[in-house]
Structure formats: structure tokens, C-alpha cells
Amino acid sequence: MAMTVAPDDAPEWATDPGQLWNAVELAEKRKDSQVARDYRIPVPLGLDDQRAGRLAEKLARFIMSELGTPVSVGLHRDADADALGQVKPPEKQGYHAHLYFPSRPLVVSSPEVEGTGTGMATATFGARHPMLASKALGRGMVETFNRVWAELSTEAAADAGIHAQYDHRSYERMGLDLAPQPTLGAGAVALERKGFWTRKGDAVRDIVVASKAYELAHAEVVAVQQAAAVADVARERSAGDKTEAEAGHPSVPDTERGLAHHEVPASSRASTDQPDLVLSALAPDTPLLGRFQALAPRPSPEDGARWAQVLRLVRVIQRALLVIRELTDRLVDAEGRARRAKAAELEARYELDQARRHRAAATARADNWAKAHPFRMRAGKLVGRRPAAWRDLSHDIRFHQKGVQATKDIVAKQAFEVTARQGKVGAIKNRVTTARGRLRTAAAGLGQLGPDYLPPLLAVLSPEQRIELEPTLAGFDLPTVPVAVRLDEQLAYRPPLPRLGR
């Protein structure tokens, strides 16, 4: 979509892009003139052509009313590949809009009021808006435009049936402890699209790959947690049904209640005659507790109390393993952020050294010039005005001094960021240590309850989970698990789970 909006009293040529922008260029006389400003906005994903166009038009009319100037709108469909060359899926391909407006307001004068008697209104471009002269003066204007964009985007999404709340503020201003994905910039994007890998592109690639690996690694954890939640609900329901049965109102058979939370009946545990029931309980979506119950030896009636204690310890082990896995993924991410923060600090310190060298070189040039022209320096001092060449050299010194001070501020911020990141890494390591302590305590307690419970536990663990437990169980005599040949083949190979950074 392409259109141009103009104030109500503007002449017809103000809505014709060809005539409008020719008139804008004629109004700019200075060689350093700024013809227009390009305000680019993203369009929320999920909007169709009409809603995206209405969003861009509403914002253009708001800018027109605020600045009193025509606004040309261009709605573009996003590229089918991102800046790194990865093809976007259809649901990730949206729109963006360019709102192009002059830096001067359109002033319409009435000849009848001025006494010209021509009977025709004239339109000219007035003085440049002060807020468009520099970034410092235009911050408030851009902030207003961004806020209106967020409000209009939320309304457009609600109209399309999308439940989303857009906010123009940064994570830091919203008080969120999140790190935004770094931007590449036009130069890096151009190089990436030509096939040249850049440092900025590598940083973004590391984040994207880590994010996808994190999602993949946590997909199984989420599935296990959901299965555990379903099992807990079924167990509570079974307990309620048992209470009703004891009260004389049976509702669910005992066999169904046992299977509701992934329990194999006691008669089929570790049985070689019914391997199908055991294999069904060893499905990948079954929690660790259910898989352990499928292989654990059948408890006798007098061992009910000890069996309940065994299940409690296995439940502790299950939760500890999930916590360790999640914390390990967080630790890898936190360590990566800490390394990037340290690299940024070292780069800032290098830039500080460079700025100091430039300042020292500028100071040396000024001193050498003053020594080489003593008479001009003395004459300038007498008349109260230093030579122009020396003033230029002094200006260079002040410029480099500002650069040194600005770089020192950046170094201080980066050092604070490194300290904060390293603190988070230490906190996660402490939590991992605590979880491993609980895991080993529970595993040691399970081994003390009986050596027959450890082999089935090891049999249902993944290789990574066994690594966590084997140091604790090294002192126990572990007999073999009496299972069928088919079950041995099933447990012979378990592919390693996708882990971040491994």
C-alpha cells in the first residue's frame, strides 16, 4: 500500500507524492538541508493487508496532526529471509511501514485575510521544526510516536482476535531482567546477505542457536512435568475413590486406579511372563517414578511401609534430576552471557586505550606546534586571541578528552555487567550443588533400604542421569535386574538427550 495524507486545508498537490516532494526539495536551500524524516514501524504479526494498512494510516494521520505536515506512507511486506539468511516460516512473515514526512510544516495562507484580492489560498513550507534538528531535541517526539504506535498496535491486534499487549519501552524501563537480542545494523546485514559472516552476526547466531537448543532441551522436561501433574491428579482422584469405596460407594476398580498414575499392577512388576505391560510403562512420556515401579521387585504385604519410603525417595530423585537438568541449561546460558559481557568489557578497555593514545597524540601535536611557533603564540597571547592553527589543535584535544571520558563510562558499565553476570553464575552453581546433594542423599538412602531397588533405578535412567548417580552408588553391590530378553533389548540403547553446549 502507498498513500499520502495531508492536513484538511492543504491544496490538492500536497497528496500527490510527485508534486509534494518536488515542492519539499525546492523549499530546502541549504547545502546541509534535511529534506525529510523516515519513521519506520513494525506491524504486529497476524494482521492482514487491510488491518496493517489501517494501522499505518492512523499513525500517519497522528503525525500529520502533530507536526502539521503531509506524510507519505509505504507499507512493505517483510523479506522471506531474515538478516542471517534463514528462511522465515509463513507465520513469521509480516509487514513494516515507512512514514516519510518533511521537516517543515505546511503553512496555508488565506489571501482574503491578507488583502491580496487574488481569491486563491497559497501553501508554503515554514520554518523547520526544532525537534527535528537533532536527536536530543527529538527524543520527546519519538517517545510520543512510539507510545501511539504501541496503543494502535494493541487495538489492531485485538480487532484481529490476537490477545497481545504491545509496549514501546525497553526491558530495562519496564523493570524486566531480560537481555534483548542485539541488532546487526545496516552494514552487517548487507555483508551477511552477501554471504560474509560478521562478528555481530556470529553473536546473534549464538543466541538463536542457544535459544533453539534451550527450547528443545526443555521440551522433554515440560512433557515430564505435565505427565507428573496428570499422575498427581489421577492419584488424588484414586485416593478419593478409595475413600468412597471404604464408605460403601465403590466407583473405580482398583486395577484402573493403579494404572491411572502409570503404576503397573504388583503382580506384573519385574515379570518376564508379561513384558508388554512392562514396556508400556516404560514409554518415553512416563515419569521416572512410573518407570521405576515397572521394574522394581514386587513388595510383600509386610513391606508396605518400606515400599512407601522407597517411592518417596525415588520421587525426590526424579525432582532433583529435573532441577539439575534445568539449572544446567541455565548455567550454560549464564556462563555464555558472562563470557560475552567479559569480552565486551575487554573490547571497551581496548577502545579506552586507543582513545587515550589519540588524546596523547593530539596533545603532542599541540605542544610541538607551540614550540615550533613561539613568536605566533606570544603575539596571540598579547592580542588575547590564540592562532587559528593552535585553536584547531586544542579543539582536537578536547574532542579526544570527551571520547576518553565517554569510553571510561562504558568500561564502568561493562565492569558492573560482568560482576552481575558472574554473580548469577555463582548463584546457579550453588543451586546445582544443593540439588546434587539432595540427589545423592536420596540415592544413598534408597541403597540402604535394599540393594534390589538400585538396579531398576539405574535401568530406567538416561546416560546423563546415570552419571549424576554413579559416584554415589559406587560403594553398593548392584545385582543384575531379572528382566526378559525383549526388555533387555529395549533398554540396551538410549540415545542421549539434546543438551545445550554439549
Side-chain angles (χ1 to χ4, degrees), residues 395-409:
H395 174 74
D396 290 342
I397 295 175
R398 291 192 297 271
F399 174 78
H400 290 298
Q401 175 61 29
K402 291 181 180 179
V404 169
Q405 189 59 44
T407 310
K408 288 174 65 177
D409 295 339

Side-chain angles (χ1 to χ4, degrees), residues 342-382:
K342 187 62 178 180
E345 181 193 6
L346 294 176
E347 185 175 357
R349 292 188 182 277
Y350 173 78
E351 295 293 338
L352 178 59
D353 293 339
Q354 291 290 98
R356 285 172 174 168
R357 281 195 288 269
H358 291 319
R359 181 186 62 183
T363 303
R365 286 194 298 269
D367 293 342
N368 293 335
W369 192 93
K371 292 178 182 179
H373 304 83
F375 296 105
R376 294 181 63 181
M377 292 293 294
R378 192 176 300 112
K381 185 175 181 180
L382 292 176

Side-chain angles (χ1 to χ4, degrees), residues 93-314:
Q93 295 182 15
Y95 304 88
H96 66 277
H98 294 258
L99 307 183
Y100 206 64
F101 52 90
S103 59
R104 302 173 183 270
L106 187 64
V107 180
V108 180
S109 60
S110 176
E112 287 79 3
V113 176
E114 298 177 359
T116 57
T118 58
M120 296 179 62
T122 59
T124 58
F125 288 97
R128 179 179 299 169
H129 283 291
M131 68 281 294
L132 297 177
S134 65
K135 291 183 178 180
L137 296 176
R139 286 197 186 114
M141 178 193 69
V142 176
E143 176 76 10
T144 302
F145 292 171
N146 292 344
R147 176 180 54 80
V148 174
W149 166 86
E151 296 173 355
L152 294 177
S153 297
T154 303
E155 294 177 1
D159 182 63
I162 302 173
H163 300 286
Q165 184 70 34
Y166 296 93
D167 199 312
H168 65 289
R169 297 172 299 172
S170 63
Y171 290 151
E172 182 179 0
R173 291 175 59 188
M174 288 189 291
L176 301 177
D177 187 17
L178 297 174
Q181 179 174 304
T183 56
L184 294 180
V189 171
L191 291 174
E192 290 284 344
R193 288 179 174 173
K194 291 180 180 179
F196 298 96
W197 283 24
T198 62
R199 183 179 60 181
K200 293 182 178 179
D202 291 340
V204 174
R205 266 185 290 270
D206 291 341
I207 295 175
V208 171
V209 172
S211 176
K212 291 182 179 179
Y214 182 86
E215 293 177 0
L216 183 62
H218 279 254
E220 182 176 347
V221 176
V222 172
V224 170
Q225 291 175 346
Q226 291 176 347
V230 173
D232 291 339
V233 173
R235 189 179 300 109
E236 294 176 0
R237 185 181 298 112
S238 299
D241 295 340
K242 185 176 180 180
T243 303
E244 292 181 2
E246 292 175 352
H249 302 283
S251 56
V252 181
D254 292 340
T255 54
E256 295 184 10
R257 287 201 301 269
L259 292 175
H261 59 282
H262 305 286
E263 269 198 33
V264 177
S267 59
S268 64
R269 288 199 188 98
S271 172
T272 58
D273 297 332
Q274 294 178 312
D276 291 336
L277 291 177
V278 179
L279 290 176
S280 64
L282 292 174
D285 59 343
T286 305
L288 175 63
L289 181 62
R291 299 200 300 269
F292 171 78
Q293 290 174 312
L295 292 183
R298 182 176 58 188
S300 59
E302 58 273 11
D303 291 340
R306 187 173 66 170
W307 178 248
Q309 190 173 0
V310 168
L311 294 183
R312 284 196 298 269
L313 291 175
V314 174

Side-chain angles (χ1 to χ4, degrees), residues 294-349:
L295 292 183
R298 182 176 58 188
S300 59
E302 58 273 11
D303 291 340
R306 187 173 66 170
W307 178 248
Q309 190 173 0
V310 168
L311 294 183
R312 284 196 298 269
L313 291 175
V314 174
R315 189 176 293 109
V316 172
I317 293 174
Q318 173 181 280
R319 293 177 180 175
L321 289 173
L322 291 175
V323 169
I324 290 173
R325 175 166 184 168
E326 183 175 359
L327 289 178
T328 302
D329 294 337
R330 292 185 184 179
L331 180 60
V332 172
D333 180 69
E335 289 177 341
R337 292 178 184 271
R339 287 194 299 269
R340 289 192 291 270
K342 187 62 178 180
E345 181 193 6
L346 294 176
E347 185 175 357
R349 292 188 182 277

